Amino acid sequence: MSSDIHIHTHHGHHHDFGMMSLNRIFIWGIALNVVFVVAEFAAGFWYNSLGLISDAGHNLGDVFSLVLALIAFRLAKVKPTVKYTYGYKKSTVLVSLLNAVILLVAVGFILGESIEKLLNPRPVNGDAMVWVAGIGVVVNAVTAWLFMRDKEKDLNVKGAYLHMAADTLVSVGVVVSGLIIRYTGWYAVDPLIGIVIAVVIVFSTWDLLRSSLRLSLDGVPKNMDYEIIGKIIAGTSGVEGFHHMHIWALSTTEIALTTHVVVREWERMEEVKCRLKEVLEKQGISHVTLELEMPGKHCCECGGKNA
């Protein structure tokens, strides 16, 4: 068998323009954050600030997340083959799951370091914390703004947006702790901010972890209601009933559905099929596979007759 067999796909190139602009946004976000991470790490070591070092570590995790998401976007565009008939679309789901796990590992590191420093406080430079974290507020806010427009369209983009929005708040927290140290000399506020950072990351990551895990297990995507989709199919003209319905994610942006549909009149089969695909497309399900059956006929998978 030739390996260049054409695999038919239901999706055209309607995602390409969005993909291109998102690629550019990811590259800008990565470049901005790499420069800032290097500067923040250096300042953290120089001024002995765990607040800065832990924030830089979290930002480095975000850079890694952005790079992974960018790779996943590129893989999602690879054409299907005879071995990977859906292409590599699912890599976008695996990357969002991996990113959530990476962030939770970072939380453990930050908590450990913060507790150690809380027990053994060391003096830090409040002024340095203020100006470095101040730059961080700007960098993170700009990056979050870049992803804001597309955050509801894709789990990876939402993840990037949430990380950057959380980072913005975290940097504001570091600025506040720097000001407190400058005016009161209360050094314990630095590791306390580290603990707050960890809590913020857990809250911003939890939903991403849950959604990614659900999609990895081929669960019904969060924005899909199985019952409502069932009612839409049952309420479509010419449909007698349906069974064996499955809804799952092909990627973080594409949803698939398969079901057996019982049609009232065989002559209207094509009409019913087209109408169903049209109504399901409006619900955001772009890859629909239907098995049409007549009332009373034997369904192999049911082990009995259709309703």
Side-chain angles (χ1 to χ4, degrees):
M1 186 191 284
S2 167
S3 62
D4 60 351
I5 289 174
H6 175 67
I7 306 290
H8 176 69
T9 174
H10 294 281
H11 313 293
H13 299 286
H14 60 286
H15 287 299
D16 283 3
F17 176 76
M19 286 284 214
M20 281 164 59
S21 61
L22 271 175
N23 275 341
R24 255 199 315 274
I25 289 168
F26 272 107
I27 289 163
W28 270 106
I30 290 163
L32 263 175
N33 282 274
V34 164
V35 172
F36 177 62
V37 163
V38 172
E40 196 172 26
F41 261 124
F45 279 114
W46 184 261
Y47 294 110
N48 187 35
S49 167
L50 190 77
L52 289 178
I53 293 170
S54 62
D55 192 35
H58 179 210
N59 280 317
L60 183 64
D62 283 345
V63 170
F64 187 51
S65 298
L66 293 179
V67 170
L68 280 174
L70 181 60
I71 292 167
F73 273 121
R74 296 277 169 88
L75 284 173
K77 293 170 79 175
V78 174
K79 287 186 167 49
T81 66
V82 288
K83 286 190 176 172
Y84 292 92
T85 55
Y86 280 128
Y88 298 108
K89 295 178 191 294
K90 202 79 169 186
S91 62
T92 55
V93 174
L94 297 177
V95 162
S96 64
L97 179 62
L98 183 60
N99 279 337
V101 171
I102 289 166
L103 275 164
L104 292 176
V105 169
V107 166
F109 170 76
I110 293 168
L111 277 176
E113 290 291 305
S114 297
I115 291 164
E116 194 274 329
K117 194 145 187 192
L118 201 55
L119 297 171
N120 305 292
R122 296 177 211 107
V124 289
N125 187 314
D127 288 351
M129 288 175 70
V130 171
W131 68 258
V132 176
I135 297 167
V137 172
V138 176
V139 170
N140 290 318
V142 167
T143 314
W145 175 77
L146 287 173
F147 292 114
M148 192 163 71
R149 189 187 65 178
D150 297 304
K151 70 180 167 62
E152 295 307 322
K153 297 177 189 171
D154 184 289
L155 207 55
N156 275 309
V157 179
K158 186 177 184 178
Y161 169 77
L162 285 173
H163 296 171
M164 293 304 163
D167 282 355
T168 306
L169 292 174
V170 162
S171 296
V172 169
V174 176
V175 169
V176 170
S177 74
L179 290 170
I180 290 169
I181 287 169
R182 181 181 176 184
Y183 292 109
T184 70
W186 184 40
Y187 296 122
V189 74
D190 181 36
L192 285 173
I193 286 291
I195 292 167
V196 171
I197 288 171
V199 173
V200 169
I201 300 167
V202 169
F203 275 101
S204 64
T205 309
W206 194 251
D207 187 57
L208 181 70
L209 178 68
R210 201 172 51 185
S211 298
S212 305
L213 200 54
R214 185 196 296 211
L215 297 191
S216 300
L217 295 169
D218 284 339
V220 177
K222 190 181 171 185
N223 59 335
M224 285 285 136
D225 188 313
Y226 190 91
E227 301 295 327
I228 289 173
I229 299 297
K231 282 176 185 170
I232 288 169
I233 293 172
T236 302
S237 175
V239 172
E240 182 81 20
F242 71 95
H243 47 270
H244 288 310
M245 184 167 77
H246 302 281
I247 307 170
W248 75 100
L250 294 177
S251 71
T252 51
T253 54
E254 292 174 65
I255 297 170
L257 177 147
T258 61
T259 187
H260 292 209
V261 178
V262 183
V263 291
R264 291 195 182 102
E265 303 160 54
W266 197 244
E267 301 76 35
R268 294 182 62 200
M269 178 189 76
E270 284 300 319
E271 182 195 327
V272 171
K273 185 171 75 176
C274 290
R275 188 179 292 119
L276 279 170
K277 290 197 174 189
E278 199 177 290
V279 295
L280 291 169
E281 178 83 46
K282 285 177 184 168
Q283 295 300 313
I285 303 170
S286 52
H287 196 289
V288 178
T289 306
L290 305 169
E291 186 168 324
L292 303 180
E293 298 161 2
M294 285 298 290
K297 296 293 178 186
H298 187 77
C299 173
C300 302
E301 290 177 42
C302 293
K305 291 189 174 182
N306 289 330

